[in-house]
Amino acid sequence: LHLSIRRQRQMCIRDSPSTGHLTINSKETIDSVEVINLLGQQLIKQKPNSQDYTLDLTTLSAGQYFLRAQIDGKTVVKSILKE
């Protein structure tokens, strides 16, 4: 997983740990969002094409996941928790 430190500061994730929904905000357009488990399997993929997005995690079991977002051609990866 590629991590862009500079872009990471431009993306804010609220509501983590989450019980169902995760709010993502960015200064630039979020092209795509993926949720990946610890085995590297893609569980959710969305294309919000906006600066603000609410991701539905209700189908996921409790645990740790990675959120991978494509923002302005750069990849940002953050760890998230689902309760």
Side-chain angles (χ1 to χ4, degrees):
L1 299 175
H2 174 71
L3 178 64
S4 173
I5 302 287
R6 187 174 66 92
R7 296 286 177 199
Q8 200 169 23
R9 291 185 210 126
Q10 295 181 354
M11 183 175 80
C12 175
I13 298 176
R14 289 183 279 142
D15 309 319
S16 182
S18 172
T19 56
H21 294 88
L22 196 67
T23 303
I24 306 165
N25 305 104
S26 175
K27 293 180 181 180
E28 299 174 11
T29 301
I30 304 165
D31 301 313
S32 67
V33 174
E34 298 172 77
V35 177
I36 301 163
N37 67 15
L38 297 178
L39 299 174
Q41 299 167 318
Q42 178 184 309
L43 305 175
I44 298 173
K45 183 168 185 174
Q46 302 288 321
K47 295 191 178 220
N49 291 318
S50 68
Q51 293 179 333
D52 302 298
Y53 187 66
T54 301
L55 185 62
D56 183 358
L57 302 177
T58 57
T59 60
L60 300 179
S61 301
Q64 182 177 4
Y65 299 91
F66 292 105
L67 175 77
R68 179 167 51 197
Q70 193 75 21
I71 301 172
D72 193 32
K74 303 291 181 188
T75 303
V76 178
V77 178
K78 288 196 176 189
S79 177
I80 59 172
L81 291 174
K82 165 82 186 317
E83 292 183 335

